[in-house]
Amino acid sequence: MFCNKLKEFLRKHNVTFTDRDITTDESALAELQKIAILTTPVTLIDGETVIGFDAAKLSERLGIPN
């Protein structure tokens, strides 16, 4: 549910992103396990991690006006 909301948000703001599905991409799952994140969605922006769908934090990190 929140993964879809995140993708909608990014598309709405014309943000290019790479969608990695941990249910089908073992390397994506391994990366999250390596950094001890056990929830999705996870967004990496310039080396910073945003866990979950947090529109305010995403907007701030991406420079999208509220």
Side-chain angles (χ1 to χ4, degrees):
M1 178 173 130
F2 289 111
C3 293
N4 289 333
K5 286 186 141 315
L6 172 61
K7 289 185 269 190
E8 286 176 31
F9 175 86
L10 295 173
R11 285 184 189 115
K12 175 182 174 186
H13 295 288
N14 299 312
V15 176
T16 302
F17 63 94
T18 301
D19 183 14
R20 298 184 67 196
D21 184 343
I22 64 168
T23 65
T24 58
D25 182 344
E26 290 182 25
S27 67
L29 177 59
E31 285 180 40
L32 289 184
Q33 290 173 329
K34 184 177 179 179
I35 58 175
I37 296 176
L38 304 176
T39 188
T40 58
V42 176
T43 308
L44 298 174
I45 303 168
D46 296 330
E48 292 197 35
T49 304
V50 178
I51 298 173
F53 175 63
D54 184 336
K57 193 176 283 188
L58 290 164
S59 293
E60 176 186 319
R61 296 270 170 21
L62 293 167
I64 297 169
N66 290 331

